[in-house]
Amino acid sequence: ASVFGGETMREMRIACAVGELEREGGVSQRVSPLARVRDCGNLLTRAGMTLPAVDVDTLTMRYPNVMKLIDHVRFMGEGNASASRRPGPVRRGTAAAVAAAYATMFPAVENESDLEKAGVEATFQVLYMTGWSPGEGQQVA
């Protein structure tokens, strides 16, 4: 099985915190909580698997702007599903502040001359979980 890991969209979490703090004076959860490597290992063990293993891939994606990143996240169905999130859509002023903070803090540049046309970067961490169901002929850890 594979799931998004805890480092997924860390840039968005940081930019949301900065933008909301600036515009609304506080911070709410805008990105769903994600699993950590040890959470996945514990899950496999609790499910009765032996020899659990968790592998990690970290991917850095580039987007032309923050809105394209948000569209991609929505199309993947990865919006915030947390019951404790703030109800309703993000206010326009807050969304603009988040987009500005994201573009400023996480530009996708190779050198300073490309800053205007670079877009933004987003990190996606994928955790791959494997384990064996117990059996007589299985090796022992």
Side-chain angles (χ1 to χ4, degrees):
S2 63
V3 296
F4 281 129
E7 288 299 309
T8 296
M9 295 190 53
R10 67 177 174 72
E11 302 92 346
M12 182 63 77
R13 280 186 244 128
I14 293 168
C16 283
V18 169
E20 281 189 307
L21 195 59
E22 175 188 316
R23 294 296 176 131
E24 299 181 22
V27 178
S28 68
Q29 181 179 343
R30 292 289 177 190
V31 177
S32 291
L34 300 163
R36 295 181 303 233
V37 172
R38 79 167 175 234
D39 297 332
C40 293
N42 291 340
L43 179 66
L44 290 169
T45 302
R46 289 185 65 193
M49 299 289 180
T50 58
L51 302 173
V54 181
D55 194 18
V56 180
D57 275 338
T58 302
L59 309 167
T60 302
M61 305 289 292
R62 290 184 181 200
Y63 294 90
N65 56 52
V66 177
M67 293 314 295
K68 289 290 184 186
L69 165 61
I70 292 170
D71 286 345
H72 185 206
V73 170
R74 285 183 180 151
F75 290 144
M76 289 190 306
E78 291 296 331
N80 186 356
S82 174
S84 63
R85 69 182 179 164
R86 181 180 294 167
V90 178
R91 297 178 184 141
R92 285 185 187 185
T94 302
V98 168
Y102 198 114
T104 301
M105 296 168 66
F106 305 105
V109 295
E110 304 217 0
N111 60 51
E112 293 299 317
S113 65
D114 292 339
L115 193 57
E116 288 297 316
K117 60 184 175 188
V120 296
E121 287 187 347
T123 302
F124 292 91
Q125 183 183 55
V126 184
L127 306 179
Y128 302 95
M129 299 178 281
T130 57
W132 295 89
S133 59
E136 293 176 20
Q138 181 182 26
Q139 75 181 48
V140 178

